[in-house]
Amino acid sequence: DLQGVIDWAAFVEGSTQGVLPAAERVTSESRLVCLSPALGVNAALLVDRLMGLRQPGDFLGAQPIADPQQPFMRQTLQDNNGQWWTELDLQMLCADERFLDVAA
């Protein structure tokens, strides 16, 4: 299957200004994260690195995110080590017009 690759850093920033080109950021830690076919899109996210999966019990607290430009970012969560994580709503992400705009 052919999959579109979305540069996650550039997508979240809303432009490529201030973000190094992907060709300059790709390292041995960079990954393509394929989205589930159940979401109805053939897409993968280019991320600079993965830090692993976490379980709900790994977090101490959460704060909702209310960003109308990025409604797919649901909340930030703090883990037991003080690291902050952002929870994504992948269904909302896959419905976002900017995300679906292959030419962007």
Side-chain angles (χ1 to χ4, degrees):
D1 288 338
L2 181 64
Q3 296 205 347
V5 175
I6 293 85
D7 182 336
W8 185 246
F11 179 77
V12 170
E13 291 295 322
S15 75
T16 56
Q17 286 187 334
V19 177
L20 287 174
E24 294 180 32
R25 288 193 337 267
V26 172
T27 69
S28 62
E29 292 186 357
S30 301
R31 299 289 184 263
L32 289 175
V33 180
C34 295
L35 301 180
S36 170
L39 293 168
V41 296
N42 288 333
L45 303 176
L46 170 64
V47 297
D48 293 337
R49 66 186 172 134
L50 290 177
M51 294 180 65
L53 299 175
R54 301 293 184 263
Q55 299 295 319
D58 294 339
F59 298 103
L60 302 172
Q63 297 177 348
I65 299 173
D67 183 351
Q69 299 298 317
Q70 298 178 332
F72 48 84
M73 291 191 174
R74 296 187 58 174
Q75 61 183 346
T76 56
L77 304 123
Q78 187 175 30
D79 69 16
N80 297 324
N81 297 320
Q83 176 73 38
W84 286 93
W85 300 77
T86 301
E87 179 185 2
L88 301 177
D89 183 324
L90 294 178
Q91 287 181 317
M92 287 189 93
L93 176 64
C94 291
D96 186 283
E97 288 181 24
R98 290 183 314 122
F99 186 78
L100 295 173
D101 185 4
V102 176

